[in-house]
Amino acid sequence: MYSIYAAKTCGLSVAEGITDRKPCFSWRLKADSACEQKSYRIRVSRLDGDCLWDSGIVGSSCTHNISYEGAKLQSDTDYTWQVESISSDDITATGGGRFSTGILDDSLWQGQWIEADYERKPITDCIEGFKSFTGQMPRHDDPRVILDPAIYFRKSVEISKKIRRAIMYVTAHGVYEAYVNAHAFGMPLAPGYTVYDKHLTVQRYDITGCLNLGANVLSAIVADGWYTGRIGMMGVGNQYGDKTALFMQIFVEFEDGSRSVIATDKNFRWSVGGYEFADIFVGERFDARLEPVGFKLPDFDDSAWKPVLVRDYGTARLTGAAIEPAAIIDSFSPVEIITTPKGETVVDAGAVLAGFVEFTLSGNRGDAVSLEYSEVLDHEGNFLQNIMGQNKNQKDYYVFANDGIANYRPKFTCHGFRYVKIEGARNPKLLDFTVHFIGTKLEKTGDFTCSNELLTKLQENIFRSQQGNMLYIPTDCPQRERQGWTGDMQVYLPTACFNMDMESFLRSWLYGMRLEQRDDGQIPNVIPHIPSNGYISFTGDDETSSAAWGDACVIIPWQLYRAYGDKAILAENYEMMSSWLSYVRKSAAEGRPEGYDDMSYEQKVRQSYLWNTGFHFGDWLIPSLTKSGEPPTMGAFKTKELVATAMFAYSAELLSCAASELGKEEDAAKYRNLNEKIRRAFAEEYVLENGRLTSEFQGTYVLALRMGLVPVNKREAALNRLVELIEENGDCLDTGFVSTPFLLDVLYEGGRADVAWKILFQTKCPSWLYEVKNGATTIWESWYGISEDGKRGHMSYNHFSFGCVGDFIYRRILGLTAAAPGYKKVRISPDYSCGLTHAKGSFETVFGQIKIQWKLENGMPILEYELPPGVKLSE
Ligand code: BGC
């Protein structure tokens, strides 16, 4: 057997409306004997016939991201592709897929941006630093006071001839659901989140069967979404503009061969309707009494609706799909309805997730049911809203229009939750509710189970946190900020790539990062960047880039290259990576730390290689500092000098590797040289004679050892000191975001695997298994999410960053390490002394699936594994 599966176009299983002019094709292989692909041949044709590209027989084992090299692709066209793969045993396997292009030629856009002539309420949100974040700003119990209704648009259209094909393109300022007669279109929260002022995606829908001969209606509801909604850490509105808007265009082909275009224009009319407000964070309120019943259908009287305003927002920034669509990725019944000690009715979804709850309940006209979402109950079992801060209500309302049964599912919002407090419902029962988990549909690529139930559960929790934070962009948490924090993704990336196919999703996000890079090379800490994030400098000035966050622009392309083996990832980001490093270099060279004037000449010289000025997050969220109640900025302050310099060295090291992979040998040498100078400066400035560091934290030792900043003759002493700090801390970790990904490996590689295992299997707080033992279903932002006395806090319970240990578990326990980019070569070497009796798992490389299992029998290890065609064991 030799077969092809998982064929993808541009890395997508669903490639509808792509605007990549040179799409690439990938497939994976399965075989029942050891072999590899000897050659492949790709053919691409229009769906209606013509072959546009025949690659010919190419002798290669490559199965990933092979670029189209045929005739120019046309806009709005359906294509198919086939691949024939021939194995080294001369067996042929075939596979392939379909894709459709979006609009490749800007002049084809005829649609106009339309808006409602609606007077929105002025923004009164607090924009003062942490005031809004720390709960000092009262929440509006009735958000109607500050929020605006969703806007409804409609237009009637006559169709006089039989239709052969009709394709609709839609996007919006805000989030939309579009309708062709009664047929609804729109992923959850379409068009998703991108760097809107420079990049906005258009969705493509085949509506051929939805238009009728005679009268038809095109309509849409547009809500605030990320465009005008209360987004980011501060929950401030209007970050991209102060009005929502709609853009639609339909290409119609008639049976007789003629064509026409229907698009948004001045003939649309608008109104408000049932959505009295619909904010992506605050929640939505749907009053069914206010819904213009039948507005999607032709005989509706829209004479009371108003004409729209036409706006010139242009089409140059419109692009097609580049990531998998967002979707309801899972729907299930909640596990329980709880009556809390206080008498509240709370639906328990069974696990922390991102999405919303649907209900079917009975009531009378005017009855209001509310659903308020939270991730935890308090220590007595009562409902606790775990997210403080302005506009973080997470509460939806439904008002009945009639007596009887009604069904309601939130549409323009999304929440981070496990528990939902229900108010106003008459006799709610478990079966009345359905939980929907939403996110971008990324393929699951890794799997792990082992003899330790807690550790197996930990990997499940890590995966669930990842799922809950992949909605159009990678986010820090789904309930409080839902922002693309660069540092979070960077620390978690190796684990993320084990769990899911992250390639196209993150390449698209990196495109946003390139768009957001400042002229001086700075990378905003959050991508997409929003003006209200100016607070990140803590002075309220424009944002400055922090070490380890901005460094994501180097680390992420490098790690993606390691995971998927495609040099194009390095090539397309190289300029961003190098201009970031120039910025860091300049900041280090020009920054004048305190006491500079009194420094010796040598000290002054090395200051150029120490990134010891400016604002940084340091080793963010060091557990002992969190426990003692210090604000996280204190940990940042205490560690930032060493952390920033370590990251400077790390980025120089990775950039040198990237340059070398791209054949830029001169650059490679330049960055290698820079890395050496930083390492020397670090050693002279921060490493004492006895191998200790000037800043004594577990994390500073971890980073210094991992980045090679401690001279060889002092490494043992530094490692011993790290172990001492761990022992003094009761065999518990005390590392923050930046150093945690390296902690166990530094111990392991330093010959102290015993300490690494102690930390991994630790069940006291702070530890991974402490969270699991305390009922966690995701990874928490703080290890003290449930403190030892059972108290719960106001924080995120769905933050994947500390889940970065997943990667260590895959590598050291399952035993799988990539020995070459894209896993072309692998090492399989589980550590049988880890304390477990068996482990089992799999991983989808770009070639195909690797399966591994091992067990101890009478103390003797038995290892079994399978490699796909093309993957070899490294010598
Ligand atoms: C976010 C983080 C982020 C951090 C910056 C927090 O509020 O939730 O995950 O990286 O700020 O340090």
Side-chain angles (χ1 to χ4, degrees), residues 130 133 233 476-477 480-481 483 485-488 525 535-536 549 615 617 620-621 737 781 796 799 801:
F130 277 89
F133 180 58
M233 185 190 218
D476 56 335
C477 54
R480 188 183 66 217
E481 300 180 36
Q483 299 203 96
W485 282 97
T486 49
D488 299 39
N525 297 311
Y535 75 90
I536 293 172
W549 272 251
F615 165 77
F617 291 116
W620 187 247
L621 296 186
F737 269 30
E781 179 177 27
S796 155
H799 238 77
S801 299

Side-chain angles (χ1 to χ4, degrees), residues 537-554:
S537 67
F538 295 105
T539 58
D541 305 335
D542 196 21
E543 181 183 359
T544 47
S545 299
S546 162
W549 272 251
D551 289 293
C553 80
V554 176

Side-chain angles (χ1 to χ4, degrees), residues 58-326:
V58 181
S60 165
S61 62
C62 183
T63 58
H64 188 61
N65 287 355
I66 295 160
S67 262
Y68 174 74
E69 299 292 345
K72 204 171 155 199
L73 298 178
Q74 303 300 308
S75 291
D76 188 35
T77 305
D78 295 287
Y79 296 92
T80 64
W81 65 275
Q82 288 84 37
V83 57
E84 236 173 65
S85 165
I86 301 183
S87 74
S88 44
D89 309 332
D90 282 323
I91 307 177
T92 305
T94 52
R98 276 176 68 145
F99 67 97
S100 64
T101 47
I103 303 307
L104 303 171
D105 170 1
D106 199 45
S107 69
L108 293 177
W109 288 125
Q110 295 176 30
Q112 292 174 304
W113 281 98
I114 57 170
E115 252 176 32
D117 181 14
Y118 178 82
E119 184 76 28
R120 286 175 65 99
K121 299 177 185 83
I123 293 284
T124 52
D125 304 324
C126 168
I127 51 164
E128 257 177 73
F130 277 89
K131 208 167 161 192
S132 61
F133 180 58
T134 48
Q136 293 177 51
M137 291 305 299
R139 238 177 228 178
H140 291 274
D141 283 337
D142 184 354
R144 282 177 293 187
V145 178
I146 55 160
L147 299 181
D148 295 290
I151 303 292
Y152 291 50
F153 295 96
R154 84 186 288 280
K155 173 171 113 161
S156 301
V157 178
E158 273 297 308
I159 302 282
S160 53
K161 289 187 281 189
K162 272 197 139 179
I163 288 177
R164 183 191 295 157
R165 175 181 186 266
I167 304 293
M168 174 169 76
Y169 293 88
V170 189
T171 190
H173 288 171
V175 290
Y176 71 84
E177 188 164 81
Y179 312 96
V180 179
N181 298 317
H183 305 269
F185 297 92
M187 314 175 275
L189 306 172
Y193 193 24
T194 47
V195 178
Y196 287 144
D197 46 341
K198 298 186 183 116
H199 173 212
L200 180 61
T201 51
V202 182
Q203 287 68 54
R204 176 194 199 264
Y205 307 102
D206 188 335
I207 58 159
T208 308
C210 308
L211 289 167
N212 307 316
L213 262 182
N216 292 273
V217 173
L218 298 182
S219 60
I221 305 175
V222 182
D224 289 333
W226 291 270
Y227 202 87
T228 47
R230 267 50 182 184
I231 61 168
M233 185 190 218
M234 310 258 294
V236 180
N238 288 2
Q239 293 297 298
Y240 291 93
D242 57 8
K243 281 253 166 91
T244 55
L246 176 69
F247 182 92
M248 245 176 169
Q249 182 162 328
I250 299 174
F251 293 88
V252 189
E253 232 178 86
F254 297 99
E255 291 270 339
D256 65 5
S258 60
R259 290 159 191 266
S260 98
V261 166
I262 309 166
T264 36
D265 60 12
K266 62 176 177 8
N267 298 323
F268 271 75
R269 300 175 77 78
W270 73 270
S271 171
V272 294
Y275 291 93
E276 290 188 276
F277 62 83
D279 183 272
I280 200 154
F281 278 90
V282 181
E284 63 178 40
R285 181 181 170 99
F286 184 77
D287 186 336
R289 294 171 302 181
L290 304 175
E291 187 67 349
V293 178
F295 78 93
K296 298 169 196 161
L297 298 175
D299 45 14
F300 178 82
D301 173 12
D302 66 8
S303 56
W305 289 36
K306 298 194 187 94
V308 294
L309 298 174
V310 169
R311 295 287 186 208
D312 184 18
Y313 295 131
T315 49
R317 70 205 150 112
L318 303 186
T319 64
I323 60 171
E324 300 280 12

Side-chain angles (χ1 to χ4, degrees), residues 510-553:
L510 286 171
Y511 171 57
M513 200 181 278
R514 298 200 293 275
L515 294 176
E516 294 282 30
Q517 185 168 36
R518 302 296 179 248
D519 291 343
D520 65 357
Q522 290 202 64
I523 298 285
N525 297 311
V526 169
I527 304 291
H529 169 75
I530 50 175
S532 70
N533 277 348
Y535 75 90
I536 293 172
S537 67
F538 295 105
T539 58
D541 305 335
D542 196 21
E543 181 183 359
T544 47
S545 299
S546 162
W549 272 251
D551 289 293
C553 80

